[in-house]
Amino acid sequence: MELLMAILIGILFTAAVYLILSRSLLKIILGTGLLSHGAHLLILTMGGLGGSSPPVLDKGASNFADPLPQALILTAIVISFGVTAFMLVLAYRTYGEHKTDNMNLMRGNDEHD
Amino acid sequence: MEFVFLIFLPIVAALFIPLLFNRMKRIHTGWFVLAVPLILFLYYVTYIPTTMKGGHAISELRWIPSMGISFVSYIDGLSLLFSLLITGIGSLVVLYSIFYLDKNKEKLGNFYVYLLLFMSAMLGVVQSDNVISLYLFWELTSISSFLLIGYWYTRDRSRFGALKSMMITVFGGLMMLGGFVLLGIMGDTYSIRELIASAPSFVGHDYFTLALVLLLLGAFTKSAQFPFYIWLPDAMEAPTPVSAYLHSATMVKAGLYLVARFTPIFAFSEVWVWLVTGIGLLTLFWGSFFAVKQTDLKAILAFSTVSQLGLIMSLLGAGAITFHSDDAVFKFAMFAAIFHLINHATFKGSLFMIAGIVDHETGTRDIRKLGGLMSIMPVSFTVAFIGSMSMAGLPPFNGFLSKEMFLQSMLAIRQFELFQFDTWSILFPVIAWIASVFTFVYSFYFVFRTFAGKRKEGRLPQEPHEAPVGMLISPVILGVLVVGIFFIPNLVAKWLIKPAVAAIQPNLYSQPADIDIHVAAWHGFDSPELWLTVGVIVIGALLYATLSKWQKVYGLQPAKFSLNALYDGLMSFSEKGMNRISRFYMTGLIRTYMIYIFTFLSIAVLVVLFTQDAFVVDMNSFSHIGVYSAINAVILILAVGFVLLSKTRLAAIISLGAAGYSVALFFVIFKAPDLALTQLVIETVSVALFLLAFKHLPALKDHGETVKTKMTNGIVALGVGITVTLIALSAHSQKLIPSIAQFYKDTVKTEAGGGNIVNVILVDYRGFDTLFEIAVLSIAGIGVLGMIKLRLARKGNSNENK
């Protein structure tokens, strides 16, 4: 299972990096979204996929999944959501101001050279 | 009395200079300044009896005791000699500057502050026993010299000269610091005395030669040795009192001081003997040869200073031979070095002052416009004549005595047989003799082209007349010294030279009285030096007489191949080259930078992974693949594929949502209910957000990306993906320590009183994470609000870039 997950995570990272390198602002944001999915799944996989029951104390259950990666991922999900929301609005404002989403046109002005 | 504080007296005095300059408009600020070097001079004179007996005085001010750094004022023969030069000539220069600089036109407040700063720095250099504080003062001399050269900062040439001298001397200073640190490592102390004491054990140490070369770089740059002399002629843009003080008598001798001071440590090395003697001699020849080419009075003197510093340097190198051979003939060199150092300070100081007077009274320093000033400026001429003849090495002036001893020392080198000297040593007296001939020529050139010949009416900007008395006092005093030392050389030797020599050559003499060198003007007809001097005079006179015929030789050297061109080329090359390099890789495009980052990341990680044999895949550690997870994986891959391939933004957003939900499903499969819940909610909200902004978002376009850029992106992306996969596999296959999860499972009920372990971790065990995650969310919210509400955009934007 871990082998499959590792390959899956690799695919997610590949797609994310490919999108981040593109010229369209929206694609970059989509890319970061995929990147965070990849990272979350990576943390989960690295914690070990074993465990037959969720980490909640229950009668009879003893083989819990590792709770620590789950707590870390929970934090990471919320943070990446915050960042994604911020970037989305940033892209929206950038597009509104500059009337373009072409990253090639968004470079420092000549006076900064 | 703690005389270490006296080093700082000029700096303290400098604090009051602006006040005096601004309040006491009617009195020239220089008069107040004059007291400082005078007091110091008189104070240091009182140490002469101590050093004459071979004694020394120490005063310490602790600075950073935990690191062994302190200000130590160590006065022995050598540092006392330099201190007297600094304060003595300092007094004369201040006196001269009072008449040279106009109190209404010039910014005297600045001038004297810089000058006093320099004086402190110089005293610190020569008296410091601690190499770190020596370095501190050393750089302070560079800085104050920079300020003084750039004194008339509205002139381009001044700024250029100041920058050039700064670049070169600070380069050398930093190299020297490296040498000091290496010495500190070798000797485990920063004290020069202690280093000297343990010097013999350094020979053969790995750092020994490196420290030697680094230290010499410092000395050679400061003392304007070949090929670092190029800053000195450009430093002539400074006011003449500065040139007289810094660039003839004191600062340029700091390098000589350094060489002399560290001779007992490094003289054991043949590299030292060769470098110091060889470079010194080369500088001597080079400087004297090119001095004849110059047409500016101060430029002639600058090259002459370079040449004379080379002479002293070569003598210091020859003096180091005494550490290898007991032969008495080598003992003269060190004595001659110190003797000439004193003589040079006297005659060169006076010559600079005369050049300043000529400039001041005629309005030009161009030797082609000058001539026939002898009868108009008789006093200046007399002093210039005395100085020049002493420089040329003629009797009855002090330069004659030291030049004789110099030739004697160079002749003696022929008898030195170690270090392949027997092959090359014949060159030493030959080069020295040729350089002496040129010295003779430029000395005559300097004094007679200025004062003798016909007056060139109408070519001078001002009607020439003799300088005011006040301006003449200092050069006359120096001129009297030049003649005086000729007649009482042995008294000077007893008071000043022998204590200094004893400090440099502790291996030879335990006290100054042991030095059995007697200076005599007359060695008899059978001494070779006499005939060499006669040869210098005859050939020199011939060359001077035919100067106009052979001066064309200098035109043969193309300007492109000069050392100045090399320096300029180096400066502009490094500026342009750096500019080109940074323009090459800093394209301003985010994509480029991201490619750098990703490429570096994957290559670095992969290299480490495989070179360190860290790549391991343990098939047994993997659990079996469940049906549901396999199906879910397919869904995720499809969703990702759709995100990549979708042509419209709506499809892309929906596909991203599908990927998110599939991740949530994974959380369900892998027994993470809280994650699944959060992921579902967040994904829903995210998709909603995207759709909310949908109307305002740009359409998906690839903005003319070519196949080539897409290929590059694909390769980089694939590299990152593979790297992550490999890392994940090998990290999973070799778990080196067990998880701490068992602790949470065991104590969640007893310690925290909860049942949901993930939630308890979030709010109890690791509550801080949660606190700041809340902060992140709040900041993001405020940021979003700010971006939407705040519209300051165009206001003041046009000013920002100006």
Side-chain angles (χ1 to χ4, degrees):
Chain A
M1 191 66 233
E2 282 85 356
L3 183 67
L4 176 69
M5 288 307 286
I7 293 168
L8 199 61
I9 292 159
I11 291 172
L12 277 170
F13 268 83
T14 308
V17 170
Y18 183 78
L19 286 170
I20 287 173
L21 292 177
S22 70
R23 288 185 189 172
S24 156
L25 198 52
L26 188 59
K27 280 188 182 174
I28 291 175
I29 300 172
L30 294 174
T32 56
L34 287 182
L35 195 67
S36 53
H37 287 328
H40 299 157
L41 285 181
L42 183 63
I43 300 175
L44 193 70
T45 315
M46 289 299 98
L49 298 174
S52 58
S53 61
V56 179
L57 289 190
D58 199 10
K59 278 183 199 130
S62 62
N63 184 16
F64 300 122
D66 196 333
L68 191 58
Q70 296 191 14
L72 296 181
I73 296 168
L74 199 61
T75 311
I77 290 175
V78 176
I79 289 175
S80 67
F81 168 69
V83 174
T84 307
F86 185 84
M87 280 185 26
L88 192 65
V89 176
L90 189 64
Y92 150 70
R93 286 284 288 137
T94 311
Y95 186 60
E97 289 291 323
H98 296 295
K99 307 292 174 216
T100 181
D101 70 325
N102 185 350
M103 293 307 289
N104 263 22
L105 299 178
M106 293 186 214
R107 47 206 289 196
N109 63 21
D110 290 341
E111 287 164 64
H112 285 165
D113 280 348
Chain B
M1 177 182 170
E2 289 293 327
F3 55 86
V4 63
F5 292 110
L6 284 180
I7 294 178
F8 301 99
L9 180 69
I11 285 190
V12 174
L15 291 175
F16 298 98
I17 294 302
L19 191 74
L20 288 170
F21 176 62
N22 288 328
R23 292 289 161 84
M24 312 281 245
K25 284 278 180 205
R26 308 188 52 190
I27 307 171
H28 196 287
T29 318
W31 290 113
F32 303 109
V33 179
L34 186 56
V36 176
L38 264 183
I39 292 170
L40 286 174
F41 180 76
L42 294 175
Y43 178 77
Y44 287 127
V45 164
T46 61
Y47 281 96
I48 289 182
T50 315
T51 58
M52 266 171 67
K53 291 192 207 87
H56 58 81
I58 301 178
S59 163
E60 184 172 5
L61 172 64
R62 299 184 132 216
W63 181 19
I64 313 174
S66 60
M67 300 179 76
I69 298 174
S70 51
F71 293 107
V72 187
S73 178
Y74 174 72
I75 295 189
D76 63 355
L78 185 64
S79 45
L80 183 66
L81 167 69
F82 273 91
S83 303
L84 288 175
L85 278 179
I86 292 161
T87 50
I89 297 193
S91 315
L92 295 176
V93 162
V94 170
L95 181 66
Y96 175 78
S97 72
I98 292 171
F99 296 93
Y100 187 83
L101 295 171
D102 190 285
K103 72 170 185 282
N104 298 318
K105 292 182 196 152
E106 301 285 354
K107 294 182 213 52
L108 292 177
N110 296 359
F111 181 79
Y112 286 111
V113 168
Y114 302 157
L115 200 72
L116 287 170
L117 203 63
F118 171 79
M119 204 179 286
S120 264
M122 210 50 220
L123 285 174
V125 165
V126 300
Q127 292 183 8
S128 283
D129 182 54
N130 187 292
V131 285
I132 301 297
S133 57
L134 170 59
Y135 172 73
L136 175 87
F137 287 118
W138 185 277
E139 292 299 32
L140 196 57
T141 63
S142 294
I143 292 167
S144 48
S145 162
F146 169 79
L147 291 168
L148 283 166
I149 297 169
Y151 173 66
W152 286 309
Y153 52 79
T154 48
R155 301 181 187 171
D156 281 344
R157 296 289 312 164
S158 293
R159 293 199 303 270
F160 175 77
L163 183 67
K164 192 170 179 178
S165 72
M166 182 82 165
M167 296 298 285
I168 293 176
T169 54
V170 167
F171 160 76
L174 285 172
M175 296 297 118
M176 187 187 79
L177 178 64
F180 283 167
V181 171
L182 290 180
L183 270 179
I185 294 171
M186 282 192 286
D188 201 26
T189 174
Y190 285 131
S191 160
I192 298 174
R193 276 172 302 137
E194 291 169 25
L195 284 171
I196 290 175
S198 51
S201 66
F202 298 160
V203 182
H205 195 285
D206 290 347
Y207 294 153
F208 184 64
T209 310
L210 182 61
L212 184 158
V213 171
L214 289 176
L215 188 110
L216 276 186
L217 271 176
F220 286 170
T221 48
K222 199 70 156 186
S223 276
Q225 298 295 296
F226 186 89
F228 305 111
Y229 72 86
I230 50 172
W231 65 268
L232 188 61
D234 283 308
M236 290 302 127
E237 296 302 320
T240 303
V242 173
S243 309
Y245 189 36
L246 274 68
H247 306 129
S248 72
T250 54
M251 187 179 86
V252 288
K253 297 214 165 88
L256 300 176
Y257 167 79
L258 197 73
V259 169
R261 180 55 89 197
F262 283 89
T263 291
I265 296 179
F266 289 118
F268 297 106
S269 162
E270 59 170 306
V271 183
W272 177 270
V273 178
W274 264 111
L275 272 181
V276 177
T277 321
I279 296 285
L281 215 57
L282 177 61
T283 314
L284 163 67
F285 172 73
W286 193 277
S288 65
F289 182 67
F290 283 101
V292 189
K293 178 189 179 186
Q294 311 302 321
T295 52
D296 177 24
L297 286 186
K298 280 175 82 176
I300 300 173
L301 292 177
F303 275 92
S304 135
T305 303
V306 168
S307 156
Q308 303 277 315
L309 291 170
L311 187 156
I312 301 171
M313 192 65 89
S314 67
L315 281 174
L316 288 173
I321 289 177
T322 53
F323 285 78
H324 302 280
S325 164
D326 290 335
D327 210 333
V329 289
F330 304 124
K331 290 184 182 175
F332 281 98
M334 200 56 84
F335 187 92
I338 301 299
F339 191 26
H340 196 70
L341 194 141
I342 298 174
N343 293 345
H344 178 251
T346 54
F347 68 68
K348 193 51 64 69
S350 70
L351 286 177
F352 265 110
M353 290 176 185
I354 295 300
I357 287 173
V358 170
D359 185 18
H360 206 262
E361 303 308 331
T362 65
T364 183
R365 295 196 313 246
D366 193 330
I367 205 159
R368 289 166 298 190
K369 295 181 186 167
L370 295 164
L373 296 173
M374 202 189 290
S375 53
I376 302 166
M377 307 168 78
V379 183
S380 308
F381 167 69
T382 312
V383 176
F385 180 77
I386 292 172
S388 300
M389 293 307 109
S390 175
M391 183 156 76
L394 299 182
F397 307 106
N398 57 9
F400 171 71
L401 300 175
S402 45
K403 187 63 72 76
E404 291 270 283
M405 300 191 83
F406 166 63
L407 292 172
Q408 193 181 350
S409 309
M410 288 297 128
L411 285 171
I413 286 187
R414 282 183 307 164
Q415 296 170 32
F416 186 53
E417 281 160 359
L418 283 173
F419 317 149
Q420 286 120 35
F421 259 86
D422 39 358
T423 323
W424 298 100
S425 55
I426 186 65
L427 280 176
F428 286 75
V430 170
I431 296 176
W433 185 80
I434 298 174
S436 299
V437 173
F438 279 105
T439 307
F440 183 91
V441 174
Y442 73 67
S443 302
F444 270 63
Y445 177 65
F446 174 80
V447 67
F448 289 116
R449 286 292 161 97
T450 310
F451 291 100
K454 260 189 277 179
R455 270 189 62 192
K456 294 166 184 154
E457 298 287 345
R459 295 191 66 178
L460 295 178
Q462 275 164 244
E463 187 56 34
H465 49 76
E466 184 59 284
V469 179
M471 210 188 256
L472 286 168
I473 297 173
S474 301
V476 166
I477 291 177
L478 286 172
V480 168
L481 277 174
V482 168
V483 183
I485 291 175
F486 176 81
F487 290 106
I488 52 160
N490 291 306
L491 210 55
V492 177
K494 195 175 156 201
W495 286 347
L496 295 173
I497 304 173
K498 286 182 181 176
V501 172
I504 305 173
Q505 295 179 317
N507 58 324
L508 289 183
Y509 316 107
S510 57
Q511 56 171 331
D514 296 347
I515 304 174
D516 53 351
I517 295 172
H518 186 82
V519 190
W522 181 248
H523 298 286
F525 282 112
D526 53 345
S527 71
E529 303 90 71
L530 179 74
W531 296 110
L532 283 178
T533 307
V534 170
V536 165
I537 295 170
V538 171
I539 305 289
L542 271 174
L543 278 177
Y544 176 69
T546 56
L547 187 59
S548 52
K549 296 210 173 62
W550 61 270
Q551 218 176 10
K552 293 189 219 76
V553 172
Y554 292 108
L556 295 176
Q557 186 211 22
K560 256 197 290 185
F561 295 108
S562 66
L563 284 168
N564 280 315
L566 186 72
Y567 169 83
D568 294 339
L570 197 68
M571 295 300 279
S572 70
F573 172 78
S574 50
E575 195 182 323
K576 279 183 193 150
M578 286 302 135
N579 223 327
R580 203 170 292 158
I581 290 173
S582 50
R583 271 170 194 280
F584 170 72
Y585 76 90
M586 296 185 62
T587 58
L589 295 176
I590 284 211
R591 173 175 172 265
T592 323
Y593 304 141
M594 293 312 275
I595 285 181
Y596 297 153
I597 294 171
F598 285 130
T599 314
F600 175 78
L601 195 89
S602 7
I603 290 176
V605 170
L606 287 179
V607 166
V608 171
L609 199 61
F610 287 104
T611 54
Q612 303 296 315
D613 289 329
F615 183 68
V616 180
V617 178
D618 179 8
M619 283 299 182
N620 297 326
S621 74
F622 300 141
S623 49
H624 67 279
I625 301 173
V627 182
Y628 295 120
S629 25
I631 296 171
N632 198 22
V634 173
I635 296 173
L636 185 52
I637 292 171
L638 284 176
V640 171
F642 280 128
V643 175
L644 284 177
L645 297 173
S646 56
K647 297 284 178 213
T648 65
R649 47 200 163 141
L650 192 60
I653 292 166
I654 301 291
S655 312
L656 187 68
Y661 288 129
S662 136
V663 170
L665 271 179
F666 268 121
F667 291 150
V668 172
I669 293 169
F670 295 131
K671 310 284 187 283
D674 301 287
L675 287 187
L677 197 66
T678 317
Q679 179 68 26
L680 274 176
V681 173
I682 295 276
E683 203 53 47
T684 313
V685 176
S686 295
V687 171
L689 257 179
F690 271 104
L691 294 178
L692 204 64
F694 182 74
K695 193 158 66 98
H696 305 287
L697 287 176
L700 271 189
K701 290 183 208 137
D702 59 7
H703 295 296
E705 283 183 334
T706 60
V707 180
K708 199 178 153 202
T709 55
K710 283 184 180 174
M711 284 286 284
T712 318
N713 293 355
I715 291 167
V716 174
L718 206 63
V720 174
I722 290 171
T723 310
V724 173
T725 305
L726 294 183
I727 286 287
L729 285 177
S730 42
H732 186 268
S733 298
Q734 34 193 346
K735 288 206 189 293
L736 303 175
I737 41 171
S739 167
I740 55 165
Q742 196 54 45
F743 167 76
Y744 294 122
K745 290 170 191 166
D746 292 343
T747 59
V748 67
K749 192 78 186 174
T750 52
E751 297 281 331
N756 184 330
I757 306 177
V758 173
N759 287 5
V760 172
I761 289 177
L762 282 174
V763 298
D764 192 323
Y765 291 111
R766 300 177 59 89
F768 264 119
D769 290 0
T770 314
L771 174 65
F772 291 110
E773 153 199 346
I774 294 168
V776 168
L777 213 55
S778 324
I779 293 168
I782 295 167
V784 167
L785 187 72
M787 275 195 294
I788 292 174
K789 289 279 179 190
L790 221 57
R791 307 270 166 155
L792 297 170
R794 298 279 179 258
K795 255 185 246 167
N797 198 16
S798 54
N799 293 334
E800 199 181 330
N801 291 328
K802 277 176 188 167

